[in-house]
Amino acid sequence: MSDTRKAGADSRREGQPSAGSPQRAGNVRGAGRPNASGGRSGPAVKPPARKPVRGTAREAALDVLTRIDADRAYSNLLLNQTLQAYKLDKPDAGLATEIVYGTVQRLNTIDYFLTPFVAKGLAKLEPWVRSLLRLSFYQLYYLDRIPDHAIVNEAVNLAKRRGHSGISGMVNGVLRNVLRRKGELALPADLPPAARIALEESHPEWMVRRWIAQYGESAARDLCRANNEPPRVSLRANRLRLDPQTLIERLQKQGLDAQASALAPSGVVVRGGGNMALTPEFASGLFSVQDESSMLVAEWVDPQPGERVLDCCAAPGGKTTHMAEKMGDRGEIVACDVHEHKGQLIAGQADRLDLKSIRTMTADARELDRYFPPGSFDRILLDAPCSGLGVIRRKPDLKWAKTEAEITAVCSIQRDLLAAVAPLLKPGGVLVYSTCTVEKAENEEMVQSFLREHPDFSADAPPGGPAAMRQLMPYEYGSDGFFIARLRKRA
């Protein structure tokens, strides 16, 4: 039995959507494919096909996993919509969430062990049958608080309702065979490192090979393992309204486990609070939901009151509003995004936080010289489109959707964006480049290439920081994988 078995479905994932909750708030970026404008886009998620219905947690999970398999829909968006449609109570919503995320996270390992039990192979099954076997195997192999017979019986009943007796008989036979041989399921001892880590920690082998080459075998394993841990909820206190300690005390009085972030000065980590974007404190602008690594970006920009700041790829606005708070809402932040609806997201966050210094605009960040003359800004933030491989724990389907070729493609966009916005910075000004990935080609190699081609820029450590570049790994602080570099234009 794998040593990565979960404690059980009742150990619900922090920060995942619950029944009736909206899409998770926060500044989670990079999961969509990069587009030519420097923004991010992804496949549209249709409303759930089923009308509001009384169904089980496993039935809801099956709907989500089938859609992910067939339509490449995003798991977090689709799960949220499906939970609302099924109107599950909190425990069942937690079980459905655990099954969906766990099955997606462990997909290639599940398929590796499950394939020998399916005579015709998984690929030849209808998507819903394949998803039913996968989610059932996940429960049998990784969860230890659900009786095996209950898992098998519900799977067979689902197969009967959605298929015919032949399918239900096949499902019954496969799962009972899995139960009989569960103790024999183990990986071969002679697998090479990349293949072993890829199956032990359920990641694409090409991804593991890259990380071994960049960081070494041990760090690659730690990175993959951290990607399979549930993300935690972190809040950024709005220091224009209250300091982090006051927010902590307020949440603790409500019975919540709230602690100061070990990484971000304005950060508060909350456990057991559910969706914090549904609270009165969020609605009144006392805090924003944002990952701790992401909070460091505004600290590195370090904007001062009265300055003019450009946020090149600003949606959904977490870093934009953080910079406005740090400036005391005095000065001007031009928040740019290529999509108009994303500009509306930024404006909505600014309104919620009662920030007046933010001006949104819709434009391709590579063409901003059409709107602004050289030297227009004191500070520039380029939170660049990227492969998003630092946020896999939040979007586990991301690792299966990405291809190695996409990394090369997004590097070209990043290079163009850096070159395009650099002239807009005043002499002596600060340019901060950040991504939510762990890929060196997109991070330090990108910055080093920019510095070679732009001798008027140099690396510049942030206030109190020892180095001008920092790569944060998910296994270090339990936050997202993030990269930040700070550069200064010579006066």
Side-chain angles (χ1 to χ4, degrees):
M1 182 62 64
S2 167
D3 60 1
T4 57
R5 280 171 63 107
K6 307 291 184 187
D10 54 351
S11 59
R12 186 175 169 198
R13 294 168 184 268
E14 282 289 335
Q16 306 296 3
S18 59
S21 69
Q23 175 185 345
R24 284 181 293 157
N27 199 25
V28 181
R29 305 183 64 227
R33 286 184 170 85
N35 56 39
S37 61
R40 291 180 176 89
S41 61
V45 180
K46 304 172 186 175
R50 300 174 62 87
K51 299 292 184 182
V53 62
R54 291 188 179 276
T56 67
R58 292 177 182 87
E59 193 168 6
L62 177 59
D63 276 358
V64 175
L65 290 168
T66 303
R67 286 282 307 283
I68 293 172
D69 187 17
D71 301 339
R72 300 299 179 191
Y74 284 154
S75 57
N76 61 331
L77 303 179
L78 187 55
L79 176 61
N80 175 47
Q81 292 174 348
T82 304
L83 292 180
Q84 290 182 24
Y86 271 77
K87 301 188 182 302
L88 300 174
D89 59 21
K90 189 172 181 179
D92 279 345
L95 175 59
T97 300
E98 175 62 46
I99 291 172
V100 168
Y101 278 95
T103 302
V104 173
Q105 280 180 334
R106 299 288 177 176
L107 190 61
N108 69 337
T109 311
I110 291 171
D111 284 1
Y112 178 85
F113 286 130
L114 190 56
T115 295
F117 294 97
V118 181
K120 295 182 179 180
L122 287 171
K124 294 185 178 180
L125 297 177
E126 291 183 60
W128 75 267
V129 180
R130 182 165 55 243
S131 295
L132 179 58
L133 289 175
R134 284 169 170 168
L135 71 86
S136 301
F137 184 94
Y138 173 74
Q139 295 171 83
L140 292 171
Y141 191 73
Y142 289 103
L143 302 184
D144 56 10
R145 295 185 183 177
I146 304 176
D148 291 342
H149 67 86
I151 297 168
V152 175
N153 288 344
E154 174 124 11
V156 172
N157 289 334
L158 274 172
K160 287 178 180 178
R161 291 200 296 272
R162 298 203 175 190
H164 51 73
S165 59
I167 292 177
S168 64
M170 183 274 292
V171 168
N172 184 56
V174 168
L175 296 181
R176 294 197 179 278
N177 200 11
V178 167
L179 280 178
R180 283 192 293 270
R181 297 177 54 190
K182 189 164 64 171
E184 305 169 18
L185 300 180
L187 299 178
D190 57 349
L191 287 174
R196 173 165 290 280
I197 294 172
L199 285 172
E200 284 179 344
E201 306 301 337
S202 228
H203 278 65
E205 190 171 334
W206 69 263
M207 202 176 284
V208 178
R209 282 198 308 269
R210 288 182 68 95
W211 291 343
I212 290 176
Q214 294 174 55
Y215 298 107
E217 184 179 333
S218 178
R221 179 180 288 105
D222 290 344
L223 176 54
C224 292
R225 188 167 294 162
N227 285 341
N228 288 329
E229 295 173 356
R232 62 190 186 186
V233 176
S234 53
L235 316 177
R236 188 192 77 234
N238 180 359
R239 287 180 178 266
L240 297 179
R241 304 281 300 279
L242 79 176
D243 59 60
Q245 185 56 40
T246 302
L247 176 60
I248 290 170
E249 293 169 0
R250 180 167 180 156
L251 296 175
Q252 288 177 342
K253 287 179 181 178
Q254 299 175 18
L256 298 179
D257 180 359
Q259 304 293 333
S261 166
L263 180 62
S266 296
V268 174
V269 177
V270 180
R271 295 175 175 84
N275 191 336
M276 297 299 294
L278 297 180
T279 62
E281 291 83 0
F282 177 86
S284 62
L286 296 185
F287 64 78
S288 296
V289 183
Q290 186 179 11
D291 183 76
E292 296 162 87
S293 294
S294 177
M295 294 181 209
L296 291 184
V297 175
E299 305 290 346
W300 280 48
V301 177
D302 193 33
Q304 301 300 308
E307 290 186 332
R308 195 180 194 205
V309 179
L310 172 64
D311 191 349
C312 302
C313 305
K319 301 176 188 68
T320 313
T321 53
H322 192 188
M323 290 191 293
E325 292 166 8
K326 286 185 66 63
M327 295 167 65
D329 203 26
R330 300 194 300 276
E332 181 186 28
I333 298 178
V334 177
C336 173
D337 199 274
V338 73
H339 299 293
E340 185 175 356
H341 73 278
K342 290 188 176 182
Q344 293 169 358
L345 289 176
I346 301 167
Q349 293 300 320
D351 289 344
R352 180 180 63 82
L353 296 163
D354 195 27
L355 298 170
K356 310 301 184 185
S357 59
I358 296 170
R359 174 166 70 90
T360 62
M361 67 176 295
T362 303
D364 186 327
R366 294 173 300 180
E367 299 176 356
L368 288 175
D369 59 352
R370 294 168 49 189
Y371 306 93
F372 305 105
S376 292
F377 296 95
D378 298 287
R379 298 172 197 257
I380 295 177
L381 169 60
L382 174 56
D383 187 44
C386 66
S387 61
L389 300 185
V391 297
I392 288 175
R393 68 171 56 172
R394 298 186 186 276
K395 298 178 182 290
D397 41 330
L398 177 68
K399 61 187 175 184
W400 310 122
K402 286 291 176 184
T403 65
E404 197 163 8
E406 289 182 70
I407 295 175
T408 302
V410 80
C411 283
S412 177
I413 296 172
Q414 293 164 348
R415 191 173 297 106
D416 290 347
L417 284 165
L418 275 167
V421 303
L424 302 179
L425 187 65
K426 291 180 180 178
V430 168
L431 167 63
V432 169
Y433 173 83
S434 62
T435 72
C436 55
T437 189
V438 296
E439 278 291 321
K440 287 190 175 183
E442 301 178 63
N443 294 340
E444 53 258 54
E445 292 175 11
M446 182 62 60
V447 172
Q448 290 163 358
S449 174
F450 173 81
L451 289 174
R452 286 194 298 269
E453 296 170 4
H454 296 79
D456 54 334
F457 280 81
S458 60
D460 184 67
M469 289 189 281
R470 184 173 186 182
Q471 176 68 69
L472 289 148
M473 305 297 273
Y475 54 77
E476 292 179 307
Y477 293 93
S479 62
D480 290 345
F482 233 88
F483 174 79
I484 315 173
R486 192 176 196 262
L487 310 175
R488 187 176 292 275
K489 194 173 190 177
R490 291 193 175 91

